[in-house]
């Protein structure tokens, strides 16, 4: 499980740096995601990898001071080529209320690397 936990935390560190400070390499960030990536956002929209790439390119440093915390990571299922995990994510901008969501991610193993295959986010009830 440590490998999966590390990937989830490291990905969110990179996302926080990119969105909050414009730091990092967008191509390296996008390399974490499978070409078959799909996502359901907290608002119910769906994204594929090209839409995710467009989002990150447009949002570089757009959320100054963003902090992202990931906790309560739980391995739901594991198989030879990947795993499904659930975690809680808290995002906060300076002087604003925090927003929390539960996320379920499917990670694929690909030549020794973990790739994000699917992500489903659900906002926590206020």
């Amino acid at each position: 499980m440590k490998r999966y936990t590390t990937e989830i935390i490291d990905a969110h560190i990179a996302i926080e740096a990119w969105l909050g400070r414009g730091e990092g390499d967008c191509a390296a960030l996008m390399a974490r995601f499978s070409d078959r990536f799909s996502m359901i956002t907290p608002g119910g929209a769906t994204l594929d990898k090209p839409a995710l790439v467009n989002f990150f390119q447009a949002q570089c440093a757009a959320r100054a001071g963003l902090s992202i915390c990931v906790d309560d990571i739980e391995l739901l299922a594991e198989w030879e080529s990947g795993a499904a995990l659930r975690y809680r994510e808290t995002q906060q901008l300076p002087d604003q209320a925090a927003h929390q969501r539960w996320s379920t991610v499917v990670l694929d193993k690909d030549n020794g690397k973990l790739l994000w295959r699917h992500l489903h986010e659900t906002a926590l009830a206020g």
Side-chain angles (χ1 to χ4, degrees):
M1 174 153 149
K2 181 171 175 24
R3 180 177 183 202
Y4 304 124
T5 301
T6 299
E7 172 55 28
I8 291 168
I9 292 170
D10 288 352
H12 284 84
I13 289 170
I15 291 166
E16 176 187 286
W18 182 259
L19 296 177
R21 301 184 302 278
E23 296 174 356
D25 177 5
C26 191
L29 178 59
M30 292 300 92
R32 293 179 177 275
F33 298 90
S34 167
D35 289 340
R36 300 179 311 140
F37 177 76
S38 62
M39 176 179 178
I40 300 172
T41 70
T46 58
L47 300 175
D48 58 9
K49 184 162 182 184
L52 185 71
V53 170
N54 289 339
F55 168 80
F56 277 109
Q57 288 174 339
Q59 294 296 310
C60 180
R63 299 180 185 172
L66 175 68
S67 80
I68 300 175
C69 176
V70 172
D71 65 1
D72 205 8
I73 300 172
E74 178 183 357
L75 180 64
L76 300 175
E78 183 175 20
W79 50 93
E80 186 175 327
S81 61
L85 296 96
R86 190 228 50 220
Y87 60 91
R88 182 174 50 202
E89 177 182 342
T90 303
Q91 293 189 9
Q92 187 164 17
L93 290 168
D95 302 321
Q96 293 188 21
H99 296 278
Q100 292 188 311
R101 63 190 72 175
W102 284 113
S103 296
T104 302
V105 62
V106 175
L107 298 172
D108 284 342
K109 294 177 186 173
D110 183 21
N111 293 321
K113 182 179 178 183
L114 291 176
L115 295 176
W116 292 61
R117 172 63 182 87
H118 180 73
L119 178 63
H120 188 135
E121 299 182 328
T122 304
L124 268 74

